[in-house]
Amino acid sequence: GAGVSQSPSNKVTEKGKDVELRCDPISGHTALYWYRQRLGQGLEFLIYFQGNSAPDKSGLPSDRFSAERTGESVSTLTIQRTQQEDSAVYLCASSPPGDFYNEQFFGPGTRLTVL
Amino acid sequence: KQEVTQIPAALSVPEGENLVLNCSFTDSAIYNLQWFRQDPGKGLTSLLLIQSSQREQTSGRLNASLDKSSGRSTLYIAASQPGDSATYLCAVRAYSGAGSYQLTFGKGTKLSVIP
């Protein structure tokens, strides 16, 4: 079956512009995660959605970052007024219903470059 | 704040060798630990998941151990093959402080297996 997909695969933008990154989770997966991987760094947790519950936004680095998800469908990560330090690979993952022991399935990521 | 460290950062071995990758974490209050593989341009693939109550997990040529009290895990790869070349990531799952349980990743070990 289809895995987690992300679009675009690459995005180049100018400093100060807004960008939207999209994630399509595996069908039936209730949990969705966004991570950021900056060059030479480990993956950083950004935000977590579980069904219709309030999302865990504790990893968002600033109020320029936001994410939405409608039900158990696609999610959009928005970065406003992009800065050069936002350059990174943004990874999305989803996992099936259940508890927090469940395996996360990752998408291929979106590489964001802010000039 | 949980910190995960992986040693070495890079490793090059001849084909057929057995090898060990190391992971350490600063806070032992974890729920599980996962080892992932990351290939260039692709997402993460989960290799092994060890619950906090377990000592080790095995899958094929891979064996992961967990010593929760000392904050250490190792990933043992037997009879390495060129196809094992990738970056290996260690991640621990713990309470985020905002109502959910999230992964904290190390920076990874880049493995090259030379034919």
Side-chain angles (χ1 to χ4, degrees), chain A residues 62-74:
Chain A
S62 78
D63 58 9
R64 295 187 295 105
F65 287 73
S66 63
E68 292 185 351
R69 186 185 188 198
T70 303
E72 296 177 1
S73 61
V74 302

Side-chain angles (χ1 to χ4, degrees), chain B residues 6-27:
Chain B
Q6 291 188 246
I7 296 173
L11 180 64
S12 183
V13 300
E15 180 177 3
E17 273 204 5
N18 303 325
L19 59 102
V20 175
L21 308 181
N22 296 291
C23 172
S24 61
F25 46 96
T26 54
D27 187 344

